[in-house]
Amino acid sequence: MSREITTVVGQLTFAECPRWHEGRIWFVDFYSHRVLSAEEDGSDLRTEAEVPAQPSGLGWLPDGRMLVVSMRDGRLLRREADGTLVTHADLSAHVGGHPNDMVVDAHGRAYVGNFGFDLMGGAPVEAATLLRVDPDGRVTAVAQDMWFANGSVITDDGVLIVDETFGNRISAFDIADDGGLTNR
């Protein structure tokens, strides 16, 4: 079996967190500090938001407002209907390194990973905590000993899957009705 690989959007600095939403592919471009969206074929490329402190994970609340991780200032931002970005949650006291990728469930709960250490400063690798940010902005630690949580998805049957880049593993959790995680 052979596959054809086609570049649909070029000239990016570091694309991350692709999400399909409202008939478009959405993603962040780290070093240009932009959240972008495009048609499936890459046409109609739009800058949806600019995040000066470097964007990462993306998701949407049930009412359609976008959430985006702002890495270098440790915040989770929310895009309001008029396009302005406001702080949805301050993550800085809860992370051991930059917050990174996230996924948002159907209830508007964001599961946010973080580096766990100062990656760019050359600090030794350390485990991190996986956070849950509720729709009201409340932050709760929901899993420990995550080794650079990245690449998160939620399956149709309510399982949170998290790639642990420096753990060389993928962890899966059942999401309880209250948003807690069980059965790792």
mmCIF file with all atom_site columns, all heavy atoms in Angstrom, residues 41-55:
data_model
loop_
_atom_site.group_PDB
_atom_site.id
_atom_site.type_symbol
_atom_site.label_atom_id
_atom_site.label_alt_id
_atom_site.label_comp_id
_atom_site.label_asym_id
_atom_site.label_entity_id
_atom_site.label_seq_id
_atom_site.pdbx_PDB_ins_code
_atom_site.Cartn_x
_atom_site.Cartn_y
_atom_site.Cartn_z
_atom_site.occupancy
_atom_site.B_iso_or_equiv
_atom_site.pdbx_formal_charge
_atom_site.auth_seq_id
_atom_site.auth_comp_id
_atom_site.auth_asym_id
_atom_site.auth_atom_id
_atom_site.pdbx_PDB_model_num
ATOM 1   N N   . ASP A 1 41 ? -8.294  21.666 1.691  1.00 0.00 ? 41 ASP A N   1
ATOM 2   C CA  . ASP A 1 41 ? -7.222  21.641 0.692  1.00 0.00 ? 41 ASP A CA  1
ATOM 3   C C   . ASP A 1 41 ? -6.144  22.702 0.945  1.00 0.00 ? 41 ASP A C   1
ATOM 4   O O   . ASP A 1 41 ? -5.230  22.869 0.148  1.00 0.00 ? 41 ASP A O   1
ATOM 5   C CB  . ASP A 1 41 ? -7.798  21.806 -0.711 1.00 0.00 ? 41 ASP A CB  1
ATOM 6   C CG  . ASP A 1 41 ? -8.465  23.161 -0.935 1.00 0.00 ? 41 ASP A CG  1
ATOM 7   O OD1 . ASP A 1 41 ? -8.495  24.012 -0.009 1.00 0.00 ? 41 ASP A OD1 1
ATOM 8   O OD2 . ASP A 1 41 ? -8.981  23.376 -2.055 1.00 0.00 ? 41 ASP A OD2 1
ATOM 9   N N   . GLY A 1 42 ? -6.251  23.431 2.058  1.00 0.00 ? 42 GLY A N   1
ATOM 10  C CA  . GLY A 1 42 ? -5.261  24.453 2.401  1.00 0.00 ? 42 GLY A CA  1
ATOM 11  C C   . GLY A 1 42 ? -5.610  25.847 1.905  1.00 0.00 ? 42 GLY A C   1
ATOM 12  O O   . GLY A 1 42 ? -4.930  26.816 2.259  1.00 0.00 ? 42 GLY A O   1
ATOM 13  N N   . SER A 1 43 ? -6.661  25.957 1.140  1.00 0.00 ? 43 SER A N   1
ATOM 14  C CA  . SER A 1 43 ? -7.049  27.278 0.640  1.00 0.00 ? 43 SER A CA  1
ATOM 15  C C   . SER A 1 43 ? -7.747  28.082 1.735  1.00 0.00 ? 43 SER A C   1
ATOM 16  O O   . SER A 1 43 ? -8.090  27.553 2.786  1.00 0.00 ? 43 SER A O   1
ATOM 17  C CB  . SER A 1 43 ? -7.970  27.138 -0.580 1.00 0.00 ? 43 SER A CB  1
ATOM 18  O OG  . SER A 1 43 ? -9.180  26.518 -0.219 1.00 0.00 ? 43 SER A OG  1
ATOM 19  N N   . ASP A 1 44 ? -7.945  29.350 1.469  1.00 0.00 ? 44 ASP A N   1
ATOM 20  C CA  . ASP A 1 44 ? -8.625  30.259 2.390  1.00 0.00 ? 44 ASP A CA  1
ATOM 21  C C   . ASP A 1 44 ? -7.968  30.226 3.780  1.00 0.00 ? 44 ASP A C   1
ATOM 22  O O   . ASP A 1 44 ? -8.646  30.113 4.798  1.00 0.00 ? 44 ASP A O   1
ATOM 23  C CB  . ASP A 1 44 ? -10.116 29.921 2.488  1.00 0.00 ? 44 ASP A CB  1
ATOM 24  C CG  . ASP A 1 44 ? -10.907 30.991 3.244  1.00 0.00 ? 44 ASP A CG  1
ATOM 25  O OD1 . ASP A 1 44 ? -10.495 32.170 3.231  1.00 0.00 ? 44 ASP A OD1 1
ATOM 26  O OD2 . ASP A 1 44 ? -11.914 30.624 3.887  1.00 0.00 ? 44 ASP A OD2 1
ATOM 27  N N   . LEU A 1 45 ? -6.642  30.346 3.816  1.00 0.00 ? 45 LEU A N   1
ATOM 28  C CA  . LEU A 1 45 ? -5.899  30.368 5.067  1.00 0.00 ? 45 LEU A CA  1
ATOM 29  C C   . LEU A 1 45 ? -6.231  31.651 5.822  1.00 0.00 ? 45 LEU A C   1
ATOM 30  O O   . LEU A 1 45 ? -6.156  32.742 5.267  1.00 0.00 ? 45 LEU A O   1
ATOM 31  C CB  . LEU A 1 45 ? -4.393  30.300 4.791  1.00 0.00 ? 45 LEU A CB  1
ATOM 32  C CG  . LEU A 1 45 ? -3.480  30.226 6.004  1.00 0.00 ? 45 LEU A CG  1
ATOM 33  C CD1 . LEU A 1 45 ? -3.719  28.935 6.783  1.00 0.00 ? 45 LEU A CD1 1
ATOM 34  C CD2 . LEU A 1 45 ? -2.024  30.320 5.555  1.00 0.00 ? 45 LEU A CD2 1
ATOM 35  N N   . ARG A 1 46 ? -6.638  31.503 7.083  1.00 0.00 ? 46 ARG A N   1
ATOM 36  C CA  . ARG A 1 46 ? -7.036  32.651 7.903  1.00 0.00 ? 46 ARG A CA  1
ATOM 37  C C   . ARG A 1 46 ? -6.249  32.679 9.208  1.00 0.00 ? 46 ARG A C   1
ATOM 38  O O   . ARG A 1 46 ? -6.045  31.637 9.829  1.00 0.00 ? 46 ARG A O   1
ATOM 39  C CB  . ARG A 1 46 ? -8.512  32.558 8.287  1.00 0.00 ? 46 ARG A CB  1
ATOM 40  C CG  . ARG A 1 46 ? -9.487  32.544 7.159  1.00 0.00 ? 46 ARG A CG  1
ATOM 41  C CD  . ARG A 1 46 ? -10.905 32.379 7.705  1.00 0.00 ? 46 ARG A CD  1
ATOM 42  N NE  . ARG A 1 46 ? -11.838 32.089 6.637  1.00 0.00 ? 46 ARG A NE  1
ATOM 43  C CZ  . ARG A 1 46 ? -13.064 31.630 6.833  1.00 0.00 ? 46 ARG A CZ  1
ATOM 44  N NH1 . ARG A 1 46 ? -13.506 31.413 8.058  1.00 0.00 ? 46 ARG A NH1 1
ATOM 45  N NH2 . ARG A 1 46 ? -13.859 31.396 5.815  1.00 0.00 ? 46 ARG A NH2 1
ATOM 46  N N   . THR A 1 47 ? -5.866  33.861 9.638  1.00 0.00 ? 47 THR A N   1
ATOM 47  C CA  . THR A 1 47 ? -5.348  34.035 10.984 1.00 0.00 ? 47 THR A CA  1
ATOM 48  C C   . THR A 1 47 ? -6.550  34.260 11.879 1.00 0.00 ? 47 THR A C   1
ATOM 49  O O   . THR A 1 47 ? -7.263  35.248 11.742 1.00 0.00 ? 47 THR A O   1
ATOM 50  C CB  . THR A 1 47 ? -4.372  35.225 11.064 1.00 0.00 ? 47 THR A CB  1
ATOM 51  O OG1 . THR A 1 47 ? -3.241  34.948 10.235 1.00 0.00 ? 47 THR A OG1 1
ATOM 52  C CG2 . THR A 1 47 ? -3.904  35.453 12.493 1.00 0.00 ? 47 THR A CG2 1
ATOM 53  N N   . GLU A 1 48 ? -6.795  33.336 12.801 1.00 0.00 ? 48 GLU A N   1
ATOM 54  C CA  . GLU A 1 48 ? -7.956  33.395 13.687 1.00 0.00 ? 48 GLU A CA  1
ATOM 55  C C   . GLU A 1 48 ? -7.657  34.158 14.971 1.00 0.00 ? 48 GLU A C   1
ATOM 56  O O   . GLU A 1 48 ? -8.548  34.746 15.562 1.00 0.00 ? 48 GLU A O   1
ATOM 57  C CB  . GLU A 1 48 ? -8.435  31.984 14.020 1.00 0.00 ? 48 GLU A CB  1
ATOM 58  C CG  . GLU A 1 48 ? -8.843  31.161 12.803 1.00 0.00 ? 48 GLU A CG  1
ATOM 59  C CD  . GLU A 1 48 ? -10.168 31.603 12.195 1.00 0.00 ? 48 GLU A CD  1
ATOM 60  O OE1 . GLU A 1 48 ? -10.859 32.463 12.780 1.00 0.00 ? 48 GLU A OE1 1
ATOM 61  O OE2 . GLU A 1 48 ? -10.516 31.070 11.118 1.00 0.00 ? 48 GLU A OE2 1
ATOM 62  N N   . ALA A 1 49 ? -6.401  34.124 15.406 1.00 0.00 ? 49 ALA A N   1
ATOM 63  C CA  . ALA A 1 49 ? -5.997  34.841 16.620 1.00 0.00 ? 49 ALA A CA  1
ATOM 64  C C   . ALA A 1 49 ? -4.482  34.967 16.629 1.00 0.00 ? 49 ALA A C   1
ATOM 65  O O   . ALA A 1 49 ? -3.784  34.152 16.023 1.00 0.00 ? 49 ALA A O   1
ATOM 66  C CB  . ALA A 1 49 ? -6.470  34.101 17.874 1.00 0.00 ? 49 ALA A CB  1
ATOM 67  N N   . GLU A 1 50 ? -4.002  35.980 17.315 1.00 0.00 ? 50 GLU A N   1
ATOM 68  C CA  . GLU A 1 50 ? -2.571  36.149 17.550 1.00 0.00 ? 50 GLU A CA  1
ATOM 69  C C   . GLU A 1 50 ? -2.338  36.042 19.050 1.00 0.00 ? 50 GLU A C   1
ATOM 70  O O   . GLU A 1 50 ? -3.030  36.692 19.840 1.00 0.00 ? 50 GLU A O   1
ATOM 71  C CB  . GLU A 1 50 ? -2.089  37.480 16.985 1.00 0.00 ? 50 GLU A CB  1
ATOM 72  C CG  . GLU A 1 50 ? -2.198  37.502 15.472 1.00 0.00 ? 50 GLU A CG  1
ATOM 73  C CD  . GLU A 1 50 ? -1.542  38.716 14.829 1.00 0.00 ? 50 GLU A CD  1
ATOM 74  O OE1 . GLU A 1 50 ? -0.815  39.448 15.524 1.00 0.00 ? 50 GLU A OE1 1
ATOM 75  O OE2 . GLU A 1 50 ? -1.762  38.901 13.622 1.00 0.00 ? 50 GLU A OE2 1
ATOM 76  N N   . VAL A 1 51 ? -1.385  35.189 19.425 1.00 0.00 ? 51 VAL A N   1
ATOM 77  C CA  . VAL A 1 51 ? -1.079  34.918 20.829 1.00 0.00 ? 51 VAL A CA  1
ATOM 78  C C   . VAL A 1 51 ? 0.390   35.274 21.047 1.00 0.00 ? 51 VAL A C   1
ATOM 79  O O   . VAL A 1 51 ? 1.275   34.470 20.753 1.00 0.00 ? 51 VAL A O   1
ATOM 80  C CB  . VAL A 1 51 ? -1.365  33.443 21.179 1.00 0.00 ? 51 VAL A CB  1
ATOM 81  C CG1 . VAL A 1 51 ? -1.061  33.156 22.647 1.00 0.00 ? 51 VAL A CG1 1
ATOM 82  C CG2 . VAL A 1 51 ? -2.809  33.078 20.832 1.00 0.00 ? 51 VAL A CG2 1
ATOM 83  N N   . PRO A 1 52 ? 0.668   36.479 21.561 1.00 0.00 ? 52 PRO A N   1
ATOM 84  C CA  . PRO A 1 52 ? 2.059   36.938 21.687 1.00 0.00 ? 52 PRO A CA  1
ATOM 85  C C   . PRO A 1 52 ? 2.952   36.031 22.524 1.00 0.00 ? 52 PRO A C   1
ATOM 86  O O   . PRO A 1 52 ? 4.147   35.931 22.279 1.00 0.00 ? 52 PRO A O   1
ATOM 87  C CB  . PRO A 1 52 ? 1.917   38.313 22.348 1.00 0.00 ? 52 PRO A CB  1
ATOM 88  C CG  . PRO A 1 52 ? 0.531   38.756 22.025 1.00 0.00 ? 52 PRO A CG  1
ATOM 89  C CD  . PRO A 1 52 ? -0.286  37.506 21.961 1.00 0.00 ? 52 PRO A CD  1
ATOM 90  N N   . ALA A 1 53 ? 2.394   35.324 23.524 1.00 0.00 ? 53 ALA A N   1
ATOM 91  C CA  . ALA A 1 53 ? 3.199   34.474 24.399 1.00 0.00 ? 53 ALA A CA  1
ATOM 92  C C   . ALA A 1 53 ? 3.225   33.022 23.910 1.00 0.00 ? 53 ALA A C   1
ATOM 93  O O   . ALA A 1 53 ? 3.391   32.107 24.690 1.00 0.00 ? 53 ALA A O   1
ATOM 94  C CB  . ALA A 1 53 ? 2.705   34.568 25.838 1.00 0.00 ? 53 ALA A CB  1
ATOM 95  N N   . GLN A 1 54 ? 3.060   32.803 22.645 1.00 0.00 ? 54 GLN A N   1
ATOM 96  C CA  . GLN A 1 54 ? 3.204   31.534 21.944 1.00 0.00 ? 54 GLN A CA  1
ATOM 97  C C   . GLN A 1 54 ? 2.032   30.581 22.168 1.00 0.00 ? 54 GLN A C   1
ATOM 98  O O   . GLN A 1 54 ? 1.864   30.029 23.251 1.00 0.00 ? 54 GLN A O   1
ATOM 99  C CB  . GLN A 1 54 ? 4.501   30.844 22.336 1.00 0.00 ? 54 GLN A CB  1
ATOM 100 C CG  . GLN A 1 54 ? 4.942   29.793 21.382 1.00 0.00 ? 54 GLN A CG  1
ATOM 101 C CD  . GLN A 1 54 ? 6.383   29.366 21.657 1.00 0.00 ? 54 GLN A CD  1
ATOM 102 O OE1 . GLN A 1 54 ? 7.038   29.809 22.575 1.00 0.00 ? 54 GLN A OE1 1
ATOM 103 N NE2 . GLN A 1 54 ? 6.865   28.484 20.833 1.00 0.00 ? 54 GLN A NE2 1
ATOM 104 N N   . PRO A 1 55 ? 1.241   30.358 21.121 1.00 0.00 ? 55 PRO A N   1
ATOM 105 C CA  . PRO A 1 55 ? 0.084   29.470 21.233 1.00 0.00 ? 55 PRO A CA  1
ATOM 106 C C   . PRO A 1 55 ? 0.481   28.001 21.206 1.00 0.00 ? 55 PRO A C   1
ATOM 107 O O   . PRO A 1 55 ? 1.532   27.635 20.682 1.00 0.00 ? 55 PRO A O   1
ATOM 108 C CB  . PRO A 1 55 ? -0.729  29.823 19.988 1.00 0.00 ? 55 PRO A CB  1
ATOM 109 C CG  . PRO A 1 55 ? 0.307   30.209 18.981 1.00 0.00 ? 55 PRO A CG  1
ATOM 110 C CD  . PRO A 1 55 ? 1.379   30.920 19.781 1.00 0.00 ? 55 PRO A CD  1
#
